[in-house]
Amino acid sequence: MLLRITMGVSLLETLLLVGVLLAWADRVAGGRVLAAFLAAFGLWVVGNELPNWWGPSSETLALHLLATAPLTSAVFFHFCVVFCRAPLDRRWIGAGYALGAVAVVASQVLLPARFLDHPDIGRLAVAQPAAIIPSASWVILGTAGVAVLIHALMRRRREEGGPARAQVAAVTASCLWGLICIGGYAIALLDWPIYPFPLLALPLYPLMLVYGILRYGVFVANAWAGRALVWTLLLAVGVAIVGLMPLLLPFESRWLNGLAVAAGCLALNGPVRRFVQRLIYPGGEVSAQDIAAWRVELARSDSFDTLSATASQLLTARVGVPTRVWIDDTDIDTDTDTDASSRTRATPSPGPSTRLSSAAESENAASAARVPSPSWQTFESAPPPHPAQEQQPELRLHRHHGLWTSTWTGWEAAPPGPRQAAELFASALIDAARDVAQAQAAAIRERERQVQARLAELGALAATVAHDIRNPLNIIGMAVAMAPADTRQEVGTQVARIAHLASDLLDYAKPWKLQPGRFDLTALARTLARREPGVRLSPAWPDTLWVERLDPRRLEQALVNLIENARGASAEGCVIDIDIDASHVHLHVCDNGSGVPQDLRDRLFEPFASRSSGGTGLGLAIVARVAQAHQGRVALTDRAPWRTCFSLELPR
C-alpha cells in the first residue's frame, strides 16, 4: 500500500509540475521540452502501476505505455542540449529522436516485457530477450544527456561559474537521484531479500529536477519550496511526538496527544522556518564584514554604469537569484526652474546591467548629492503577480528632490532572509551612488570653471581685437570712397565679413543670461520660413506650440545659424522638422547637401572647426552654446531621406 501511495503521489506532482513549467516556460531554457519529458515520465509511472491499480486486464495497455521509454530518453537528451546550450548541431537532436522513434515502434510491435507477481511491488514488468533494442536505445540516449550535463558543468567551472553552473549541477544531481530511485526496481528484478526502499524516494525526483532549475530564476518557486519543507518538518515533528507519547505517559489520551502535538509545532514553528530559510537561502544574515566588503567593491566604481553592473553582480551572488540593478541619476524636481534644472530624458545604456542615466548634469547636482541618504524604503506591497507574469527581481535607485530612494519589483515572494540582506545592500549602494554623484558633479563644476575661464580670456581678447579692427575698417571704407564701383563693392563685402566675424566672436565669448518667455514656437518657425529663402516646414508641425522655458531670441539665433549652414551646403535649401514628447522638443534642420566629412564629425561644434563659404566658423559653436544654456543638446543625426540633419533637443 505504501508503494502504491508513493507512485500515485509521484504521478500527481509530476502533472502539477508540468503545469508550472508551462507557466514559467519563458524563464527556463528548454522549459517546454522539460515539461514534455515530465509528461513522458508520468506515462512511465502509469505504465508501471496500471496493473496494480486496475488489475490484469490493463496489462496490455500498460506495456504499450512502457514501450514509449526510448522516446522519453530522446526528449531528455533534447532538453539537456537546449538547457546547457551545448555546441551540438541540431542533427544530433534529430538523430536522437529518430533512434527513439525506431525503438518505440519496435517495442510497440514486439511488446518485449510481461508482468509477474512480486511480494513487495505487486505486478512487476519484467523484460524479455527482445527488449535489447529499446533498452539499448534509452540507455544510449540517457547516457548522452548526462554526458552533456557533465560537460556543461565542467565547462562552467572553468569559464562561467555562478547560478548557471549551480543550475546544471542541480539537474545533474536530480538525474543521479532518479537513477538511485529506479534502482528499487533492480532490487526487485534481482530478487534480493530486501524491500525496494529506493522507490519510496521517487516523488523527490521531479521536485529536485524542477526546483533545481527554478530556484535561481523565480522567487515564488523558493517560497513554495520553503512552505512545503516547513510543513513537512512540522508534520514529522507531530509524528515523532505522537510516537514518543506512549513512552512518556503511563496511559493513552488523544486529547493529551493532540495538545502535545499542537504545543510542539507552535514552539518549533519559528526555529523550523528560520532553518528552512537558511537552507534555501544560505547567507541571509549580513555581518559588518559583509557590509564593509560591499562598500569596498562599490567604491571602486567611477560611473553609474560600472556601479550598476557591480551592484547587480554582488546582489545576485548574495541572494542566489539573478537580480538587475537600475540607477536613475536624473533628479526629479518639479519645483526648480529651467536654469537650475538638470533634467533630461532617461535612456537605458547597454551592458549586462542596464542603468537609467541622464544625458546632462548641472552645477546644482553637487548640492543635491550632498543631501544625506534617506532611510531604507520598504519592499513594494503589491499583491504577488501571476507566476507567468512575475518579473525578474530588480532594484531601482533614483533621486527625488536630491534624495536617493530605492524601489523594488519582482521581490513580492522573497522570504525575510534575502529581503534583509537586500535592504542592507541597498543602503550601501545608496551611499556609493551618492559618492559617484558627488564625484561627477565635482568634475562637471571643474570643467565648467575651466570653460568659463577660457571664455573670459577669449572675451577680453575678442573685445580688444574687435576694437582694434573696427577703426582700421572704417578707415579702409573711407579710403575707397572714390574708387570704382566694383572695387567699392568688393571692399565693402570683405569689410562686412570681418565685422561679422568680430561680432560673432564677441557674442560667443561674452557671458550669457537667458531671458525665457512664453511664445508660440510654431509661429517663430513660420516667420523664419517666410524670411529665409529656401526654408520650408515639414507637415509634422502643429498649428500652435506654446513653450515657456526657452529664450526666443537665442533660439531664433540658433535656428538661423543652422539654416545658413544648410543653405551653404545645398542649393535646394532645407526643411525644419519637429518631434515632440512629454518633456522635450526636437527640432531638425535637414538638407540634401554633400554631407559632413568624417574627419569633422567629432569636432563639429568646436569654434573654427568648420568654415563654410562666407561663414565665420562660429555658427555651430554658438548653436551648441545655446543648447547647453537651455539644458539641451545639439547633434548631427541620421534622418532619412536627408543626407545631413542637425537635431536640436530642448526642454518643453
Side-chain angles (χ1 to χ4, degrees):
M1 179 59 68
L2 182 59
L3 194 56
R4 302 286 79 75
I5 296 175
T6 299
M7 301 302 285
V9 170
S10 299
L11 177 61
L12 179 61
E13 71 177 10
T14 299
L15 297 178
L16 291 175
L17 290 174
V18 168
V20 170
L21 280 173
L22 292 177
W24 279 321
D26 57 334
R27 305 292 297 273
V28 179
R32 292 181 177 83
V33 182
L34 180 58
F37 168 72
L38 287 179
F41 172 76
L43 286 179
W44 177 83
V45 172
V46 172
N48 278 286
E49 291 301 306
L50 197 59
N52 296 306
W53 294 339
W54 297 100
S57 61
S58 61
E59 289 185 358
T60 302
L61 176 60
L63 291 175
H64 283 291
L65 294 178
L66 291 175
T68 61
L71 197 56
T72 303
S73 296
V75 177
F76 172 73
F77 173 67
H78 183 188
F79 164 72
C80 293
V81 172
V82 175
F83 175 71
C84 298
R85 297 178 177 87
L88 292 177
D89 192 275
R90 295 182 63 89
R91 288 176 292 185
W92 285 101
I93 298 177
Y97 277 112
L99 176 60
V102 170
V104 167
V105 171
S107 299
Q108 295 290 345
V109 174
L110 299 175
L111 291 181
R114 61 190 179 92
F115 281 96
L116 298 177
D117 287 321
H118 189 274
D120 297 319
I121 294 182
R123 299 295 289 175
L124 175 65
V126 178
Q128 300 298 308
I132 187 171
I133 296 177
S135 299
S137 62
W138 71 257
V139 168
I140 291 172
L141 293 171
T143 304
V146 173
V148 170
L149 291 173
I150 295 176
H151 177 266
L153 187 62
M154 299 304 295
R155 178 164 53 90
R156 279 161 175 75
R157 177 179 296 176
R158 295 192 304 269
E159 301 174 2
E160 300 174 17
R165 179 190 168 197
Q167 283 182 314
V168 176
V171 174
T172 306
S174 67
C175 292
L176 296 177
W177 182 267
L179 186 61
I180 292 173
C181 293
I182 297 177
Y185 283 113
I187 292 175
L189 291 173
L190 295 175
D191 203 18
W192 288 355
I194 57 175
Y195 188 82
F197 61 90
L199 285 173
L200 299 178
L202 188 61
L204 292 178
Y205 167 63
L207 282 176
M208 291 177 59
L209 179 60
V210 175
Y211 177 63
I213 298 172
L214 293 182
R215 71 159 298 178
Y216 298 100
V218 184
F219 259 132
V220 174
N222 298 288
W224 288 352
R227 295 189 191 105
L229 188 55
V230 166
W231 283 105
T232 301
L233 292 178
L234 290 178
L235 181 61
V237 168
V239 171
I241 291 175
V242 171
L244 291 175
M245 286 299 290
L247 303 178
L248 301 176
L249 295 177
F251 57 90
E252 183 178 354
S253 173
R254 294 184 180 179
W255 289 100
L256 286 178
N257 286 345
L259 185 61
V261 169
C265 291
L266 233 98
L268 295 177
N269 181 53
V272 166
R273 289 184 182 276
R274 287 191 292 271
F275 167 75
V276 169
Q277 289 172 14
R278 294 191 186 99
L279 184 64
I280 294 180
Y281 288 100
E285 299 80 9
V286 179
S287 64
Q289 291 80 5
D290 293 331
I291 297 177
W294 287 340
R295 293 185 184 277
V296 170
E297 290 294 327
L298 295 173
R300 296 174 180 173
S301 303
D302 56 358
S303 67
F304 287 107
D305 284 323
T306 55
L307 180 61
S308 58
T310 302
S312 296
Q313 295 173 359
L314 292 175
L315 189 55
T316 296
R318 186 65 186 189
V319 301
V321 175
T323 306
R324 292 188 298 182
V325 176
W326 298 63
I327 302 178
D328 182 0
D329 60 316
T330 303
D331 194 0
I332 305 174
D333 186 356
T334 56
D335 298 330
T336 55
D337 58 15
T338 304
D339 294 339
S341 173
S342 65
R343 292 191 303 273
T344 55
R345 288 185 303 168
T347 56
S349 63
S353 173
T354 308
R355 78 170 182 93
L356 299 177
S357 63
S358 63
E361 291 281 354
S362 63
E363 289 189 19
N364 76 322
S367 60
R370 288 192 292 269
V371 178
S373 170
S375 60
W376 164 253
Q377 194 174 43
T378 57
F379 289 85
E380 295 176 343
S381 58
H386 187 276
Q389 299 174 346
E390 186 192 13
Q391 301 176 358
Q392 180 180 356
E394 292 181 355
L395 163 62
R396 293 175 180 265
L397 257 61
H398 49 84
R399 266 194 319 215
H400 183 64
H401 295 285
L403 299 177
W404 286 97
T405 55
S406 311
T407 55
W408 302 80
T409 55
W411 286 73
E412 293 81 6
R419 286 196 185 199
Q420 180 184 7
E423 289 172 4
L424 295 174
F425 178 83
S427 299
L429 180 59
I430 286 176
D431 293 339
R434 188 174 63 251
D435 293 342
V436 171
Q438 288 176 343
Q440 290 189 348
I444 291 172
R445 288 200 307 274
E446 177 61 22
R447 288 196 300 268
E448 189 67 22
R449 187 194 64 79
Q450 294 177 1
V451 169
Q452 293 299 330
R454 289 196 298 269
L455 288 177
E457 295 175 358
L458 182 59
L461 176 63
T464 302
V465 171
H467 178 270
D468 291 343
I469 285 179
R470 280 171 177 166
N471 288 333
L473 288 181
N474 292 333
I475 296 174
I476 292 173
M478 290 185 293
V480 298
M482 304 303 295
D486 55 346
T487 302
R488 291 199 309 273
Q489 181 180 1
E490 179 63 24
V491 171
T493 300
Q494 299 304 323
V495 167
R497 182 177 179 182
I498 297 174
H500 187 197
L501 174 59
S503 177
D504 277 356
L505 190 60
L506 278 174
D507 188 39
Y508 179 77
K510 70 182 180 182
W512 283 8
K513 185 176 181 180
L514 295 180
Q515 296 179 349
R518 188 173 187 271
F519 65 96
D520 184 359
L521 184 57
T522 301
L524 175 62
R526 288 173 179 167
T527 301
L528 289 176
R530 287 194 300 267
R531 190 180 68 198
E532 302 289 339
V535 178
R536 61 188 185 278
L537 302 183
S538 74
W541 280 87
D543 294 336
T544 56
L545 179 59
W546 291 95
V547 292
E548 297 182 354
R549 297 192 174 189
L550 303 180
D551 186 332
R553 187 177 68 85
R554 288 298 181 185
L555 179 57
E556 180 180 356
Q557 179 186 20
L559 288 175
V560 167
N561 285 352
L562 292 177
I563 290 171
E564 290 180 351
N565 185 74
R567 199 162 47 200
S570 174
E572 301 175 0
C574 63
V575 64
I576 305 178
D577 197 4
I578 187 172
D579 288 328
I580 307 171
D581 59 32
S583 58
H584 288 79
V585 174
H586 306 265
L587 303 175
H588 313 279
V589 179
C590 304
D591 64 79
N592 271 328
S594 57
V596 178
Q598 192 65 36
D599 58 340
L600 283 180
R601 289 176 176 263
D602 293 337
R603 52 190 182 91
L604 195 56
F605 299 100
E606 297 177 2
F608 308 110
S610 174
R611 293 291 298 272
S612 59
S613 178
T616 64
L618 289 170
L620 292 179
I622 291 175
V623 172
R625 193 160 179 219
V626 170
Q628 183 182 12
H630 284 92
Q631 301 298 328
R633 62 179 180 175
V634 63
L636 178 65
T637 58
D638 294 325
R639 196 172 178 84
W642 307 97
R643 287 198 185 97
T644 306
C645 270
F646 286 92
S647 298
L648 186 61
E649 179 187 276
L650 300 168
R652 293 186 69 181

